[in-house]
Amino acid sequence: MIICTTVNDDYRVEVFSRATKLILMDTNKGIIHVEDNPALFSSNKRPTVAKRCVELGANVVIAAHGSVCYPSYRILRQHNVRIYVTEPGSDLSNFNVVPINQWEILYSSIIAVLERLSGH
């Protein structure tokens, strides 16, 4: 299983739009890829992360609460990527995840709009 997530400099899970790194993990090998978070250089932050996870071949995304807006959700679902949510700041070695639900998508979409309006 290949897992894609976004993390801060301390390698703790962070919201797609605020993380400094995007990483891929293999459940058997640990971290197999690290790159600068492409969302930091894009106006479409959350969908940019979703697209990159798909490009890198992830079949699971672990997203911090507030990360998966509707466009991101649609991108991931179109490619049969399973989506789970965890709290921002979660340690990579101990995920406490739940499957994504409609309320998480709605919340994330509202947060994404507010971030765009505020210029962040």
Side-chain angles (χ1 to χ4, degrees):
M1 179 172 16
I2 304 297
I3 300 168
C4 185
T5 192
T6 53
V7 298
N8 60 25
D9 289 334
D10 295 328
Y11 282 81
R12 293 190 172 275
V13 178
E14 185 57 82
V15 176
F16 284 1
S17 60
R18 294 186 211 126
T20 56
K21 297 172 179 46
L22 181 142
I23 64 169
L24 275 186
M25 299 183 327
D26 182 313
T27 51
N28 298 321
K29 300 177 186 172
I31 296 174
I32 56 173
H33 178 78
V34 178
E35 65 183 50
D36 290 339
N37 181 4
L40 298 178
F41 313 105
S42 172
S43 59
N44 297 318
K45 297 180 181 307
R46 288 163 176 80
T48 298
V49 170
K51 287 177 192 170
R52 187 63 181 142
C53 288
V54 168
E55 289 170 2
L56 291 170
N59 49 21
V60 173
V61 164
I62 296 181
H65 175 55
S67 291
V68 184
C69 61
Y70 182 74
S72 300
Y73 174 78
R74 193 179 72 241
I75 290 163
L76 295 169
R77 292 303 302 154
Q78 284 175 341
H79 293 88
N80 297 314
V81 176
R82 289 177 288 164
I83 309 163
Y84 297 92
V85 179
T86 191
E87 287 301 315
S90 295
D91 191 300
L92 289 178
S93 63
N94 189 19
F95 287 127
N96 183 17
V97 299
V98 295
I100 196 158
N101 61 47
Q102 65 186 11
W103 302 112
E104 176 65 28
I105 297 164
L106 178 62
Y107 172 79
S108 298
S109 296
I110 292 168
I111 296 301
V113 169
L114 292 174
E115 282 181 5
R116 272 196 150 184
L117 292 174
S118 70
H120 287 97

